[in-house]
Amino acid sequence: MRSALLTLELARSRDRMSHCEEIVQRGFKELGALINNLNSVRNAVKDDVEVVCSPPVPYLDWTRSLLRKDIDIGAQNVWLSTNGAYTGEYTADMLKDVGVNWVILGHSERRHLPELKESDDTIAMKTVQALKAGLKVVLCVGETLEERESGKTLSVITRQLLSVATRVPSKSFENIVIAYEPVWAIGTGKTATPDQAQDVHSYIRKWVSNAVGQEMADNIRIVYGGSVNPENAKELKGQTDIDGFLVGGASLKASSFLNIVDTSLKLKSSRVDKARAPAIVPGQKPGIDWGALVRYVSATSVQFGLLASFLYGLDYVVAYYQADISTRFVALLFGFLSLRSRMFSIMDNSRPKPNKHDPVFQRKKPWWTPPPLTFPIVWSGVAVLRALSTTIAYVASGEKFFSVPLLAMVAHLSIGDTWNTINNVEKRMGTALLGVLAVLGSAAAVAYTYYLTHPLAGALLSPTVGWIAIATLLIGEIYRLNNKDGSISLLPRKGQSIVIV
């Protein structure tokens, strides 16, 4: 029978933390020997260090009866729902009944073994149930070798964290420990370098800061797992944002594990006071990126100038050849201009696009965010209404392309294209909020101009203004949810050209 032994040594504060873990072939006899070794540690576990032993579920109660009382008990899995007809599963309430206080969720084997293949959603639902029952959660995240080599490490980490963050209250993160375990370093003998591990841990803490808040980010415990041994434990733990370990092979030997525990006990608590500068130091915000502002204004102006020149040219050609322009042509033209969006956007086509090495831009979103399919459907409807209202305005303006109503529309479209770039290419979340406000203002101005030209034209454009207003509220709420620490500026700032949250 193949069973698992998971031992964890966790800090009660960020400066004292370590994890140990390994899947092993053990029975009562050998598990008992390991428990005796844990019990043999001379000194009692200190107040700033927490040790958690997580055996397979059949051994939980037996382990609790033998293990010293200053070492806690954890489980390696839990069911994703409450009590019900789920034969063979055990719920979080059942674990609490037998004295379990911790549970490990999202471990790489459960995510990647073909017999299990637990999804991000499954792990998130298990996390919800565990927290509701009063269990503390060790949430494991990490990327495969293929994902790392293709530059998707941060994308994977973000996706895994986001799935949980969208389902649990922010305050619940005080009962979550995040364990970064790169799949490529588990049981392979490979270890992420201290700098590699620190980079990911730092990113996770920054993500928590934006999604949950700076106070939670300062206190949450983030541990590293992947071929940790007594030799590299001290070097890894010396990193600013690495609060401990998930130990693999070293947990098979009690002496190795106890050496790692001893390393944690001897580390000075002053490590926490080392320089992990906050995202923004008061009074030292990075300067405004004036180059970006100039680029936004210039791109909008150039695009408006080109479209206005195109309209002027149309009027000239029509007058020169005394051509008769059908209203169908006008409707198709402005329908196309509404839909083409980034196709003709000056800025989008003049700047490098994100490549496969860029992290996926993911944001924490409010519960009322419309499903993805809503956006193309609604924007297609907006394009139709713009085309119809512009056709009416064109006729009411004496069938002139180069007229105030139509110039107002191309100005609105140019502003929208610039916002599209800020939001989807450069990913400046704060500046995108200002941009969508500009889009909303220009849409309202166009609707008013159309109304003065012909009331029906203004009425047809009103739903567009309403939809953009809803989009503005959504972007504002996304900005609020992801800017708990106040680090995302409304104005573009140097060093914040791409904000990943």
Side-chain angles (χ1 to χ4, degrees):
M1 180 182 67
R2 191 167 180 80
S3 59
L5 174 67
L6 177 57
T7 54
L8 300 169
E9 186 262 325
L10 304 172
R12 299 187 194 280
S13 57
R14 276 197 56 214
D15 55 317
R16 303 287 193 192
M17 192 167 189
S18 178
H19 283 223
C20 296
E21 175 268 337
E22 178 64 350
I23 304 298
V24 294
Q25 187 79 26
R26 295 284 187 227
F28 278 106
K29 183 177 180 180
E30 294 184 53
L31 178 57
L34 289 174
I35 292 173
N36 287 335
N37 280 315
L38 288 175
N39 290 341
S40 69
V41 178
R42 293 182 180 180
N43 299 320
V45 179
K46 297 184 179 180
D47 289 341
D48 61 350
V49 175
E50 184 175 7
V51 179
V52 182
C53 180
S54 297
V57 67
Y59 304 120
L60 281 171
D61 190 52
W62 180 74
T63 301
R64 178 66 286 169
S65 68
L66 294 180
L67 200 58
R68 52 195 287 177
K69 301 308 178 185
D70 56 358
I71 297 180
D72 215 337
I73 294 293
Q76 299 173 13
N77 187 32
V78 73
W79 180 236
L80 53 75
S81 184
T82 55
N83 295 328
Y86 308 111
T87 303
E89 299 293 343
Y90 49 93
T91 68
D93 289 330
M94 294 178 185
L95 293 177
K96 288 293 291 184
D97 286 344
V98 296
V100 172
N101 293 318
W102 287 85
V103 63
I104 315 305
L105 297 175
H107 194 279
S108 60
E109 278 93 359
R110 300 202 65 88
R111 288 185 187 269
H112 298 290
L113 282 177
E115 298 86 353
L116 298 173
K117 283 286 184 181
E118 289 190 355
S119 67
D120 295 335
D121 287 341
T122 296
I123 293 162
M125 288 188 284
K126 289 184 174 186
T127 302
V128 170
Q129 292 301 322
L131 293 171
K132 283 183 178 179
L135 295 174
K136 296 179 182 179
V137 173
V138 178
L139 177 63
C140 299
V141 299
E143 81 285 5
T144 64
L145 180 60
E146 180 182 0
E147 289 166 338
R148 169 164 281 272
E149 289 179 344
S150 61
K152 296 179 180 178
T153 295
L154 301 186
S155 169
V156 172
I157 299 297
T158 300
R159 189 197 71 225
Q160 293 168 345
L161 291 173
L162 192 66
S163 182
V164 172
T166 54
R167 287 175 170 85
V168 304
S170 297
K171 188 170 177 59
S172 294
F173 271 80
E174 65 187 15
N175 292 316
I176 294 176
V177 170
I178 299 173
Y180 169 55
E181 47 164 10
V183 181
W184 51 273
I186 297 175
T188 63
K190 297 180 179 180
T191 306
T193 66
D195 287 342
Q196 286 177 322
Q198 166 62 21
D199 286 345
V200 177
H201 281 236
S202 176
Y203 172 79
I204 291 173
R205 200 173 302 282
K206 173 62 178 174
W207 188 92
V208 173
S209 173
N210 281 334
V212 184
Q214 187 62 50
E215 182 178 359
M216 192 68 72
D218 287 338
N219 292 292
I220 196 167
R221 295 172 287 181
I222 307 171
V223 300
Y224 170 79
S227 298
V228 177
N229 55 55
E231 288 69 38
N232 60 29
K234 189 171 184 179
E235 183 181 17
L236 283 166
K237 192 163 184 177
Q239 299 300 308
T240 304
D241 288 293
I242 297 178
D243 302 317
F245 310 107
L246 269 167
V247 182
S251 66
L252 294 176
K253 298 180 180 178
S255 58
S256 295
F257 171 47
L258 296 176
N259 283 337
I260 295 173
V261 174
D262 190 55
T263 297
S264 295
L265 291 171
K266 290 179 179 179
L267 284 175
K268 295 181 179 180
S269 61
S270 61
R271 184 184 67 80
V272 167
D273 298 326
K274 292 182 180 179
R276 181 179 68 80
I280 291 182
V281 180
Q284 297 183 15
K285 288 187 176 182
I288 294 174
D289 189 344
W290 292 107
L293 287 175
V294 170
R295 188 170 65 252
Y296 299 153
V297 174
S298 299
T300 305
S301 302
V302 170
Q303 182 153 308
F304 170 73
L306 290 176
L307 290 174
S309 299
F310 174 69
L311 295 183
Y312 182 83
L314 280 177
D315 276 343
Y316 180 83
V317 171
V318 169
Y320 184 83
Y321 290 101
Q322 297 183 347
D324 185 17
I325 299 296
S326 69
T327 54
R328 182 180 300 176
F329 171 80
V330 179
L332 289 174
L333 172 63
F334 278 87
F336 170 73
L337 290 177
S338 295
L339 284 175
R340 99 262 177 262
S341 186
R342 284 159 55 174
M343 186 190 308
F344 283 173
S345 174
I346 298 299
M347 193 186 317
D348 278 2
N349 291 326
S350 65
R351 299 191 73 254
K353 300 293 192 300
N355 56 45
K356 67 179 183 180
H357 299 296
D358 291 327
V360 172
F361 187 48
Q362 301 188 65
R363 303 160 172 167
K364 190 175 182 182
K365 299 176 182 177
W367 63 267
W368 51 271
T369 302
L373 189 60
T374 303
F375 294 92
I377 293 174
V378 172
W379 282 117
S380 296
V382 165
V384 172
L385 292 176
R386 282 173 174 169
L388 293 176
S389 60
T390 301
T391 301
I392 294 172
Y394 166 76
V395 174
S397 300
E399 298 188 357
K400 293 290 186 182
F401 286 103
F402 198 76
S403 62
V404 172
L406 273 63
L407 288 173
M409 175 57 76
V410 296
H412 164 63
L413 294 176
S414 299
I415 294 172
D417 282 342
T418 300
W419 171 80
N420 207 13
T421 294
I422 297 171
N423 187 57
N424 297 321
V425 177
E426 294 196 354
K427 316 209 185 291
R428 296 180 187 264
M429 189 188 304
T431 313
L433 178 56
L434 291 182
V436 77
L437 287 171
V439 173
L440 177 61
S442 65
V446 174
Y448 180 69
T449 303
Y450 276 27
Y451 178 80
L452 294 179
T453 304
H454 194 290
L456 180 58
L460 285 172
L461 206 56
S462 296
T464 296
V465 179
W467 169 249
I468 296 175
I470 294 173
T472 303
L473 291 175
L474 176 61
I475 293 172
E477 183 64 5
I478 290 173
Y479 175 76
R480 186 189 69 81
L481 290 173
N482 292 279
N483 193 36
K484 297 291 182 66
D485 65 348
S487 65
I488 304 175
S489 172
L490 287 174
L491 293 175
R493 293 188 178 276
K494 296 176 181 178
Q496 293 184 346
S497 57
I498 296 183
V499 181
I500 306 296
V501 294

